[in-house]
Amino acid sequence: MTKIRLLPPSLVSKIAAGEVVERPASVVKELVENSLDAGASRVEVELEDGGLRLVRVVDDGEGMEEEDAILALEEYSTSKIATIQDLSCITTLGFRGEALHAIAAVSRFTLFTGTGDLGTVVRVEGGVLKSISKRSRTKGTTVEVRDLFFNFRARRRFLRSPVTERSHILQVMREYILACPEIHFLLKERGEVLLEATPGELKGRAASLWGIEPKDVLSIEAREGSMRLYGVLAAPPFTRRDARGEFFFVNGRPVRDRFIAGALMEGMRTRLVRGEYPLCGLFIYLPPEDVDVNVHPSKREVKFRRPSEVVSLVKKGIVGALGVGFSKGSGEEAFPLSPPPGHLGGAKVEEVRIPFSLPPWRFLGEFAGLYLMVEMDSDLVLVDKHALHERMIYDTIRDGWDGGGRVRHLLVPLEFPLEEVECSRLVETRGVLEGMGFRFQLKGEGLCEIRGVPQWFQGDVVSFFRSWVAEGEVVGEEELVSRAASLACREATKAGDALNLIQVNKLLAFLESRGLALTCPHGRPVAVRISKEDVERLFKRRI
């Protein structure tokens, strides 16, 4: 008996689906690309349970006749290429002919498409054709994907919670919202609109997506030989603590590429502090024969014929957008904060770049027990002391993940019991907790002994540990960032808390180091500036 055997078609389909379809976001990506290639002007995506139960994509593209609708579900069927020469000159988003076949192999799949009046409905379950029927519809295509991986349990076990899967889909939609500003996109779940973008220009879309004003979005443009770069960049200090705000497109295709990412960070080197990442959308156009997009089934990766020229182009565009002549100076000097006394604990932010110098401030007092009133260059600045302190603690926590948090050792260690699953969650996140500045040891019989806390921590440490493990599994950087923001909010000074002048000056020094455009970890503004002219208009001293 031979050891080598041919795999049955049903197993081959599932293996192929595993390469193309990793999670619901992969389904959304492939179907949205098909809609765009079909010339759609409106693409609507509807979800149930983060796409685990349902992904429905509706477009007003050119649609298909019955014969094409059936052929589109066959393996390696495509309208995008016909010869091997076409692979070296690909201009469409889809081309491999795997997506619909692979998705239908691992879901309960319905394709409803037509070119006008009468449409074709094709139903497939687990790769098996169930029915073909006719129904009236306008021009366009609707694809429903239900119960992804219902027949492939080994793969379904690797899917995450609906919240996590939804976040991946949101990221995919953000890519195409930037890539196609002329298209109307709508993402909703059980009737609730999660994301909507009406047709407009790129700068306005980027500003809306990033939650900033259009005036704070810089335009990028550069050329190198046959290559062209254009795009948008959020002006410093608008940044993120991860790279999820970076969007790269090559000949209109969303990609991930280390050369582009490296060139971006190099071009921004003098405008970012450690751990910051820019918000940008970079569009690179070059002759199709100079880039290979057929590197991976997901079509996320590309290979450049001359990567060094791409790097040069991106750096040139970034430097040009930020302005010529910016160099190291006082704007990059460290701004150390010594540990302030009282409620502010030992918050310390080191090596903070000052993006610009504010004039000296004069503290005037407090308003409503929450807002600091500060005079700056004859203008009135209202500072939300909770939001500012929250951001100060949050940055301290995030910096601690890289460099180790400052610890205040307890004279008497605290012990409390935990369940087995809670102990395992602590072990999984030990590195994060110790980076914040917590020190603990798991002892026998489910006991946890806390030996140290961060210098900025003032709360009930046992309650914090219990709430930390109660929040369940930590899934990715995004959830860690969310937990850090929540912790900073709990520890920050509250309305009505009295601050002495030293504490106020520490807060204002931190604000000066980051600029008035600073926001709290949840995106709320920290400071509002009211000009002297505006005050004079209120008193009718100025018309």
Side-chain angles (χ1 to χ4, degrees), residues 404-462:
R406 299 185 62 188
V407 183
R408 184 175 77 247
H409 292 281
L410 302 180
L411 293 176
V412 180
L414 297 174
E415 282 189 357
F416 64 99
L418 289 173
E419 300 291 338
E420 182 178 352
V421 65
E422 294 175 327
C423 290
S424 66
R425 287 170 183 164
L426 278 184
V427 171
E428 290 172 359
T429 56
R430 177 183 288 274
V432 176
L433 290 168
E434 290 187 345
M436 292 182 186
F438 292 99
R439 296 294 182 267
F440 65 93
Q441 181 181 1
L442 294 175
K443 307 171 73 174
E445 301 179 356
L447 285 178
C448 177
E449 182 182 79
I450 303 173
R451 299 179 172 181
V453 298
Q455 288 194 0
W456 46 263
F457 189 85
Q458 297 294 318
D460 184 335
V461 65
V462 174

Side-chain angles (χ1 to χ4, degrees), residues 172-197:
V172 168
M173 294 300 294
R174 292 184 188 109
E175 287 181 326
Y176 290 105
I177 284 174
L178 274 185
C180 308
E182 74 282 2
I183 306 297
H184 187 156
F185 288 100
L186 176 64
L187 173 65
K188 59 184 181 179
E189 182 163 15
R190 296 187 182 274
E192 179 186 356
V193 175
L194 303 180
L195 204 59
E196 183 171 15

Side-chain angles (χ1 to χ4, degrees), residues 15-75:
I15 293 173
E19 294 181 343
V20 178
V21 185
E22 298 176 4
R23 59 195 334 146
S26 307
V27 173
V28 172
K29 175 183 181 296
E30 297 290 348
L31 297 183
V32 168
E33 286 183 351
N34 283 347
S35 296
L36 296 175
D37 282 340
S41 62
R42 178 185 174 91
V43 179
E44 182 176 322
V45 181
E46 186 172 355
L47 310 175
E48 289 183 15
D49 294 346
L52 297 171
R53 184 180 297 274
L54 169 69
V55 171
R56 179 187 292 117
V57 177
V58 183
D59 69 55
D60 60 354
E62 61 185 5
M64 291 181 285
E65 300 287 356
E66 179 177 341
E67 183 178 1
D68 285 336
I70 297 171
L71 279 174
L73 293 170
E74 295 293 330
E75 190 174 16

Side-chain angles (χ1 to χ4, degrees), residues 378-527:
S378 298
D379 289 342
L380 176 64
V381 177
L382 295 178
V383 180
D384 185 328
K385 66 181 182 183
H386 169 77
L388 179 56
H389 190 212
E390 183 182 357
R391 179 56 185 256
M392 190 176 182
I393 294 175
Y394 174 79
D395 285 0
T396 303
I397 295 173
R398 293 303 307 267
D399 291 344
W401 292 1
D402 297 326
R406 299 185 62 188
V407 183
R408 184 175 77 247
H409 292 281
L410 302 180
L411 293 176
V412 180
L414 297 174
E415 282 189 357
F416 64 99
L418 289 173
E419 300 291 338
E420 182 178 352
V421 65
E422 294 175 327
C423 290
S424 66
R425 287 170 183 164
L426 278 184
V427 171
E428 290 172 359
T429 56
R430 177 183 288 274
V432 176
L433 290 168
E434 290 187 345
M436 292 182 186
F438 292 99
R439 296 294 182 267
F440 65 93
Q441 181 181 1
L442 294 175
K443 307 171 73 174
E445 301 179 356
L447 285 178
C448 177
E449 182 182 79
I450 303 173
R451 299 179 172 181
V453 298
Q455 288 194 0
W456 46 263
F457 189 85
Q458 297 294 318
D460 184 335
V461 65
V462 174
S463 296
F464 164 73
F465 267 67
R466 288 195 182 281
S467 64
W468 178 271
V469 296
E471 291 183 34
E473 179 186 9
V474 178
V475 182
E477 179 79 3
E478 185 174 351
E479 184 170 336
L480 288 176
V481 169
S482 177
R483 289 200 187 186
S486 296
L487 177 57
C489 185
R490 287 198 297 267
E491 289 300 305
T493 183
K494 304 297 191 297
D497 289 348
L499 301 180
N500 59 41
L501 189 57
I502 295 177
Q503 293 170 324
V504 169
N505 284 335
K506 292 297 182 182
L507 284 174
L508 295 179
F510 177 74
L511 178 61
E512 182 184 21
S513 73
R514 296 302 176 93
L516 291 181
L518 190 67
T519 64
C520 80
H522 301 96
R524 293 191 299 107
V526 163

